[in-house]
Amino acid sequence: MSTPSFEPQAFERADTETLPEGTRIAMALEYQGGAYRGWQSQDKPKVATIQDALESALSSVAASPVTVICAGRTDAGVHASHQVVHFDAPVGRSVKAWHAGCNALLPADIAVRWVCPVAGDFHARFSATARRYRYVILNQLRRSAHLVGGVTHIDVPLDEALMHREAQVLVGEQDFSAFRAASCQSHSPMRNIHYVNVSRHGRYVVIDIQGNAFLHHMVRNIAGVLVAVGSGAQPVGWTAEVLASRDRSQGGVTAKPHGLYLVDVNYPSEFDLPQLSPGPEFIRSFGAEFAADRP
């Protein structure tokens, strides 16, 4: 029987040295977003958010209020396999205490992947140089009860090679007005997409996209356009037409949130953050490219 292999940092660090009060702490999370109204805390009572759940757990570990800042705010129903946050420790605690204590207090659908003390100038949002998302589509006739909420089900055949070719017009720094939500509050529609890869793995089609940052609903709107072309509902070249229009009304339907995962956030090497393979967990068996840190 072969010995199972594990990620080199898949287990919590056994660092029990107490870090001083005021230490800036970086933390990576994974979560299922289905039960939450997105990442950000809301003024409405009894609205569950990822931020509230995490801050509650951290505040219990610290016996003092803790506020976190994240790399990218995910929408309601959207998941993450590598969301990065930071906070300034209000009390002295060890890495192990923050990691194990937080995991013991978080709901089952939120987990801490790693904890790391960082320099005081580290900022989860502003220090990030890139964000990476994967949109996972279950492309078969019947839906799956086991995968509900974790993938987007599309029951018509998709031409993933065509979708990949269509997506290449999105690469580079461009005006993505046609792919931003009407409620988007960003001051500029300009974003730089580093790459978009669309590939099939049996019954799954995966859209893998990285950019410096993303507008509100931008990845879901891109997915919606690519699916429309890949299914034959729109003609070849429609992605370029939508992009050139700079008009959101030309962009078709926003894809559902269920298949969307924030899978990685890049930072300058000087911060020396742990590197784990991107997720989500269940697609790592698709091949080596899905287990790698970078494509």
Side-chain angles (χ1 to χ4, degrees), residues 138-154 203-204:
L138 177 63
N139 188 208
Q140 64 180 23
L141 187 60
R142 64 171 182 83
R143 62 182 178 84
S144 169
H146 291 160
L147 295 172
V148 64
V151 298
T152 289
H153 173 230
I154 295 179
R203 56 185 178 159
Y204 298 97

Side-chain angles (χ1 to χ4, degrees), residues 18 29 39 47 67 94 99 153 199 231 237 242 258 268 272:
T18 299
L29 307 171
W39 163 267
V47 173
T67 301
S94 68
H99 193 159
H153 173 230
S199 55
S231 66
V242 171
H258 313 126
D272 195 26

Side-chain angles (χ1 to χ4, degrees), residues 71-100:
R73 293 176 293 184
T74 51
D75 294 332
V78 174
H79 317 298
S81 63
H82 202 98
Q83 169 74 275
V84 178
V85 306
H86 85 260
F87 62 94
D88 294 324
V91 294
R93 293 284 188 273
S94 68
V95 165
K96 183 175 182 179
W98 289 118
H99 193 159

Side-chain angles (χ1 to χ4, degrees), residues 7 134 276-278 283-284 287-293:
E7 293 176 336
R134 282 173 170 166
L276 300 182
S277 58
I283 71 169
R284 290 180 186 158
E289 69 271 28
F290 286 95
D293 290 337

Side-chain angles (χ1 to χ4, degrees), residues 29-33 35-36 48-58 60 100-112:
L29 307 171
E30 63 180 12
Y31 51 81
Q32 286 285 99
Y36 302 92
T49 69
I50 305 293
Q51 183 178 2
D52 287 341
L54 177 60
E55 289 181 348
S56 176
L58 288 170
S60 293
C102 201
N103 271 338
L105 293 165
L106 282 168
D109 50 8
I110 307 174
V112 177

Side-chain angles (χ1 to χ4, degrees), residues 126-144:
F126 297 129
S127 298
T129 58
R131 285 91 172 160
R132 180 180 180 184
Y133 287 86
R134 282 173 170 166
Y135 193 84
V136 185
I137 299 166
L138 177 63
N139 188 208
Q140 64 180 23
L141 187 60
R142 64 171 182 83
R143 62 182 178 84
S144 169

Side-chain angles (χ1 to χ4, degrees), residues 18 26 32 72 80 116 124 163 166 194 200 220 223 238 256 276:
T18 299
Q32 286 285 99
C116 182
M163 292 168 66
E166 282 280 309
H194 302 158
R200 176 177 290 277
R220 289 168 59 193
W238 190 56
K256 296 178 181 179
L276 300 182

Side-chain angles (χ1 to χ4, degrees), residues 164-187:
H164 178 78
R165 293 194 299 271
E166 282 280 309
Q168 302 320 298
V169 301
L170 303 172
V171 175
E173 186 169 6
Q174 306 186 67
D175 183 331
F176 283 92
S177 293
F179 294 94
R180 69 189 298 184
S183 58
C184 181
Q185 298 178 355
S186 175
H187 296 302

